Amino acid sequence: MADSGHAGLWADAFFTAGNSSFTEFLAAHRPELLPTARPLPDGVTAAPGRFPHGTTVLALAYRDGVLLAGDRRATMGNLIAQRDLEKVHPADEHTAVAFAGTVGLAVDMVKLYQVELTHFEKVEGISMTLGAKARRLASMIRQNLGQAMQGLAVVPLLAGYDLAAPAGGRGRIFGFDVAGGLYEKADFHAEGSGSPYARGALKKLFHADMTRREAALTALQALYDAADDDSATGGPDLNRRIFPIVSVITADGFERLPETETESLSREMVERRRGRPDGPNANP
């Protein structure tokens, strides 16, 4: 009923030729539905610790493609707001996005980005290139700059399998800043408050010819190190059986590792840590 006044507007909009961007379609016809609309009045900044924030997420390239992983914790200041948050999501068949930052806005941005890619493919009849997908997400982040300046920042991490790239370089990773700056990362990257510790572990353990199992264990080790030094990052919760989300993208598309596999790898890693609390040595 609340949208009845817009019925005529929507009908006209649906039958009017436009471009292939769903975000621009919303901006033209229902801008208040965009997650980038400022939730706070001008000059007002969100009080610290009042909104759930999510960390930490990472990506790394491996032999068959690219892997993304994220811990499950969301915090509000010194409080744990959620223990089982999902921060890694498929964007389309060969692309996935993970996020750190303000949870509510990040989830909405991910959903809008998924629709954005689907809308483009339906209108144009082809998928975007991976580089174009990264630039489109950068544009959406830039539109969120006003919210970021009010303390409600979202920093995604994008990874994909580039079917058009030369063999051996098809797993690609893109990082962003809160102003929409776009940076392609070689080999691995991490975002969120635990990212310095995760990147340190990845730098120590990464090698280019990892199998899926090796890549997953490396990601879990990096998240464990992040949780060890960053209170906002959650490690594997063996009692509640809450484990990090690990997903891979290969020529066959996006796949989230089954929880049984993630649990088995997490328990193996924790058991190894009993004898070596600081984790494995760097690869020779």
Side-chain angles (χ1 to χ4, degrees):
M1 294 297 293
D3 286 339
S4 60
H6 296 278
L9 171 64
W10 279 112
D12 292 342
F14 287 141
F15 289 99
T16 301
N19 63 26
S20 55
S21 171
F22 185 75
T23 303
E24 293 182 10
F25 175 85
L26 275 185
H29 301 286
R30 292 292 297 278
E32 72 277 8
L33 297 180
L34 286 170
T36 52
R38 288 197 181 189
L40 303 175
D42 289 345
V44 176
T45 302
R50 294 296 298 275
F51 297 91
H53 277 67
T55 58
T56 299
V57 295
L58 59 87
L60 66 151
Y62 73 105
R63 180 189 301 171
D64 298 323
V66 63
L67 176 147
L68 290 95
D71 82 308
R72 307 295 295 277
R73 179 173 292 178
T75 57
M76 289 180 21
N78 64 327
L79 301 177
I80 297 176
Q82 188 173 346
R83 301 180 189 275
D84 60 352
L85 178 65
E86 298 196 11
K87 306 174 188 176
V88 180
H89 302 269
D92 64 13
E93 186 178 2
H94 287 97
T95 317
V97 61
F99 67 81
T102 307
V103 172
L105 299 181
V107 170
D108 279 352
M109 183 178 290
V110 169
K111 291 178 180 178
L112 180 60
Y113 185 60
Q114 292 168 333
V115 175
E116 181 80 5
L117 298 187
T118 301
H119 181 79
F120 178 92
E121 185 171 352
K122 289 183 180 298
V123 171
E124 299 293 339
I126 58 172
S127 298
M128 286 188 197
T129 65
L130 186 55
K133 293 174 189 177
R135 291 189 292 274
R136 187 64 60 93
L137 183 55
S139 176
M140 293 173 64
I141 298 167
R142 194 171 301 116
Q143 293 169 13
N144 193 59
L145 182 59
Q147 293 183 0
M149 297 298 291
Q150 292 181 314
L152 301 173
V154 176
V155 183
L157 178 60
L158 182 72
Y161 187 87
D162 191 346
L163 296 167
R170 292 179 177 172
R172 299 174 64 188
I173 301 165
F174 299 89
F176 306 85
D177 60 35
V178 295
L182 171 62
Y183 315 94
E184 183 163 4
K185 303 294 183 177
D187 300 332
F188 58 82
H189 190 57
E191 292 288 0
S193 62
S195 61
Y197 315 108
R199 284 198 295 268
L202 291 171
K203 185 176 182 179
K204 177 178 71 171
L205 300 175
F206 177 85
H207 64 91
D209 197 38
M210 285 188 291
T211 64
R212 186 176 98 158
R213 189 177 192 278
E214 290 173 326
L217 275 172
T218 296
L220 292 172
Q221 294 278 12
L223 290 173
Y224 192 100
D225 279 350
D228 201 32
D229 287 296
D230 173 47
S231 62
T233 304
D237 191 332
L238 303 185
N239 294 327
R240 295 184 177 89
R241 298 186 63 205
I242 299 174
F243 303 98
I245 300 294
V246 181
S247 299
V248 296
I249 314 170
T250 66
D252 295 327
F254 175 90
E255 178 190 357
R256 174 169 162 171
L257 268 61
E259 187 172 340
T260 52
E261 183 177 353
T262 307
E263 177 177 356
S264 175
L265 292 173
S266 296
R267 291 185 182 276
E268 176 183 333
M269 177 200 63
V270 171
E271 185 60 33
R272 290 182 181 180
R273 290 268 180 158
R274 295 184 191 278
R276 188 184 289 273
D278 292 331
N281 291 329
N283 291 305

